Amino acid sequence: MKIRSLLFMISWLMIINVFGQCAFTPSFTYSYTFQQCSEVQFFDTSDAAANGYTILAWDWDFGDGSPHGTNPTVTHAYVPGITVNVILTVTATNDGGATTCNDTYSETLNINALPDAFIASTPNPSCVGATTFFTGTSGAMIQAWNWDFGDGTTSNLKDPSHIYTVSGAYTVNLDVTDVNGCQNSATPYTQDIGDLPTADFSWDPDPACLNAPIQFTDLSAPNIASWDWNFGDGSTSVMQNPTHAYATTGSFNVILTVTSTDGCTSSITQVITVDPLPVPDFTTDAPVCSGDSVHFTNLSSSPNGYIAQWIWDFGDGNTVTIDYPNNPNVAHLYASTGTYAVLLTVTDSDNCQNTTSKLI
C-alpha cells in the first residue's frame, strides 16, 4: 500500500509539472509588413532562455478563426479593419524535456482599415468642352490616387478636373492607396456629359428701322430649354421669339444665350444696324378754288439711300401710290370745298417708313 501511494503521488507531481504555468513570462511583438496594409508579422519575445527554459512549441491563435501558426516568427494577413485578440501559447522545458510547462500571452490588435474612397463631381451633368471638377477621398492618410475618367484619360491628382470632348455617360473609377499600403476602390460613378447647343437667330427687317418693331426668330438647337436675349441697348427678354424696337439709331450687339435640357449653354453675338427714318415732306400750291387741281411737290429725303415709294392720301378717301423711279409729284382735284388733312408716307431703299401730314 505504501509503495502504491508513493507511485500515485509521483504521478500527480509529474502531471503538475507537465501542465503547470511556466516560471517565465511569454510575450510577443508585432509589426505590419512594409506597405502590405493588414499583413502582420509576429515575433516571439518570451524570456524563456533567461530563466533556464527551452521553448519546445509555439501555438499562435490569430484571433480570426484561421489556422494557427507554429513557428517563433509568423506572418498573417488579416481582413482590413477588424479587431482581433491574438494569443501565443508556448510549451517549454527546463530539464531536457522531462519537465514541461505551458503558458500564454495575448494582445488585442486593431487591424489597419481600408482608406475611404468615394467619387463626386461638379457639375453633373456637365457639358462637352466644359470643366468638370472631381473629388474622391477624405482624411490625410491617402498617398496615391488613380483616376480613370472613362474616356481613355487618367489622373493621379487628389482632386482633378477634366474636360470631355464627346457627349455620353462615362463610368469614372478611382483607386486609392494610403500610407499603410492599404488600397481601396470607390464605387464606380457615372458622369453625364451633354452636347453643347448651337445658338443662332435671325431678325426681320434687316436692316432695322428706328422705332419700328423687329421680329427676332430663334434658330438654336438641339433641345433648348431657355433663352436669354440682350439687345445691346439695355433691354432684355427671355422669350423664344421676341420683338423689340430701338429708340436710337446705330449698330447694336445682340447676344442670345441658350441653355439646353442638359444644362449646357451657348451664346452667339450678331450686330444689328438700326437706320434712321426717311424724312417725308411736300409743298402745294393751295389754297386753290373749287374746280382747280391742287399740285403736290415732293420734298422727301432719306439718309439711308433713296426714296423707293410714295403714298399720297389726299384726305378725301382717295390715295395714289408711286414707286421709284416714277415722278412722285402729283395733282389732285377735290370734289368739294373744305380743309383736308393730306398724308404723305414714304418708304426708303432700306424699307424704313415715315409719314407726315399737312392741312390743305
Side-chain angles (χ1 to χ4, degrees):
M1 290 295 294
K2 290 182 178 180
I3 294 173
R4 184 177 296 176
S5 298
L6 180 60
L7 291 173
F8 176 78
M9 291 180 64
I10 291 172
S11 300
W12 184 81
L13 289 172
M14 288 179 66
I15 292 173
I16 293 299
N17 286 335
V18 171
F19 296 105
Q21 187 174 22
C22 297
F24 66 89
T25 303
S27 62
F28 64 82
T29 60
Y30 66 93
S31 63
Y32 288 92
T33 57
F34 180 68
Q35 288 196 337
Q36 293 299 317
C37 184
S38 58
E39 186 176 84
V40 182
Q41 192 168 32
F42 295 93
F43 308 90
D44 171 46
T45 56
S46 305
D47 57 352
N51 290 276
Y53 281 82
T54 299
I55 296 180
L56 302 176
W58 296 263
D59 181 82
W60 297 89
D61 182 347
F62 298 113
D64 61 353
S66 61
H68 291 203
T70 58
N71 294 317
T73 299
V74 292
T75 301
H76 185 65
Y78 286 97
V79 174
I82 66 174
T83 298
V84 294
N85 185 42
V86 180
I87 302 171
L88 169 61
T89 301
V90 296
T91 301
T93 181
N94 66 349
D95 57 3
T99 303
T100 59
C101 62
N102 293 332
D103 209 343
T104 62
Y105 173 77
S106 66
E107 189 167 339
T108 298
L109 278 66
N110 294 315
I111 304 302
N112 287 333
L114 295 179
D116 185 22
F118 63 91
I119 300 175
S121 67
T122 301
N124 190 10
S126 187
C127 305
V128 169
T131 300
T132 304
F133 299 92
F134 290 92
T135 56
T137 55
S138 59
M141 299 293 287
I142 308 299
Q143 66 175 6
W145 297 262
N146 184 14
W147 290 88
D148 183 341
F149 297 115
D151 63 348
T153 58
T154 60
S155 175
N156 58 8
L157 298 177
K158 177 184 177 182
D159 298 318
S161 61
H162 185 59
I163 296 175
Y164 290 91
T165 58
V166 179
S167 62
Y170 294 89
T171 299
V172 181
N173 290 286
L174 171 63
D175 299 323
V176 298
T177 304
D178 68 12
V179 294
N180 298 317
C182 295
Q183 297 180 337
N184 198 10
S185 298
T187 301
Y189 178 83
T190 299
Q191 176 67 43
D192 293 314
I193 302 298
D195 279 314
L196 288 178
T198 300
D200 194 14
F201 66 91
S202 63
W203 64 96
D204 185 57
D206 182 18
C209 303
L210 179 68
N211 296 322
I214 305 168
Q215 178 65 59
F216 292 89
T217 301
D218 169 54
L219 303 175
S220 307
N223 303 323
I224 306 303
S226 65
W227 300 262
D228 184 5
W229 295 85
N230 185 329
F231 297 113
D233 62 349
S235 300
T236 60
S237 176
V238 294
M239 297 179 64
Q240 181 179 4
N241 299 305
T243 58
H244 181 63
Y246 288 89
T248 57
T249 61
S251 296
F252 298 88
N253 291 325
V254 178
I255 304 171
L256 170 61
T257 300
V258 294
T259 303
S260 71
T261 53
D262 290 327
C264 301
T265 62
S266 180
S267 296
I268 186 173
T269 301
Q270 299 196 69
V271 179
I272 291 182
T273 300
V274 178
D275 286 342
L277 298 180
V279 180
D281 194 15
F282 64 92
T283 62
T284 72
D285 59 355
V288 297
C289 298
S290 177
D292 293 335
S293 294
V294 179
H295 294 85
F296 296 88
T297 302
N298 169 64
L299 299 177
S300 305
S301 63
S302 172
N304 308 318
Y306 60 91
I307 303 298
Q309 185 180 76
W310 299 260
I311 300 175
W312 295 93
D313 182 340
F314 300 112
D316 62 351
N318 293 297
T319 62
V320 63
T321 299
I322 301 173
D323 294 321
Y324 178 86
N326 296 317
N327 186 357
N329 299 325
V330 295
H332 182 62
L333 178 63
Y334 287 89
S336 59
T337 61
T339 300
Y340 299 89
V342 177
L343 303 178
L344 173 60
T345 301
V346 295
T347 303
D348 67 15
S349 53
D350 282 343
N351 208 38
C352 293
Q353 192 174 81
N354 201 3
T355 299
T356 189
S357 175
K358 291 184 179 182
L359 294 177
I360 304 301

